[in-house]
Amino acid sequence: MNGGGEVSEPGERGATRIADRVVAKIASRAAREALGSGPGLLPYAAVAVRAGAARVRVAVELGYPSDIAAQCAAVRRQVTTRVGELTGMEVPDVSVTVERLSSPQLDRGHVR
């Protein structure tokens, strides 16, 4: 409403801009949701937003052994869904990088 109690037209209200770092935080949390309570490190996300579309890169740590392809696909789906829901942006590209595989045997320094 403006000072006279009238409702402004949409073009007169301005615009909301969501910072890239905020979108990256949403993407990181969405990746964590997709992975559940897996190994230690939180996923790291980097985002480039252009013309209302967010291109996302996510780095994750996965447990070993696991179905890496299925987990990466789950991360892509969850990040695409959550970023779209919470920001209203299109997410045409989510790139997932596996930074580390962890298992109790590997973390102790020996594998059977």
Side-chain angles (χ1 to χ4, degrees):
M1 294 183 135
N2 61 22
E6 300 170 19
V7 176
S8 300
E9 293 298 317
E12 297 173 7
R13 293 184 204 157
T16 301
R17 184 182 180 304
I18 301 171
D20 290 7
R21 66 183 174 81
V22 173
V23 180
K25 184 141 193 149
I26 292 168
S28 177
R29 291 217 176 166
R32 185 64 166 171
E33 290 170 6
L35 296 174
S37 60
L41 300 177
L42 290 176
Y44 170 80
V47 175
V49 177
R50 293 203 186 10
R55 297 201 183 282
V56 181
R57 288 179 297 142
V58 181
V60 298
E61 176 181 342
L62 300 178
Y64 179 84
S66 65
D67 186 342
I68 295 169
Q71 287 185 304
C72 289
V75 168
R76 277 188 212 83
R77 278 191 305 274
Q78 185 70 3
V79 168
T80 299
T81 299
R82 295 297 284 162
V83 169
E85 288 173 349
L86 296 174
T87 67
M89 294 179 187
E90 290 183 41
V91 185
D93 184 39
V94 176
S95 173
V96 179
T97 302
V98 178
E99 291 285 322
R100 182 173 185 245
L101 295 174
S102 65
S103 77
Q105 294 83 12
L106 291 174
D107 292 341
R108 284 188 295 226
H110 62 280
V111 179
R112 289 183 182 230

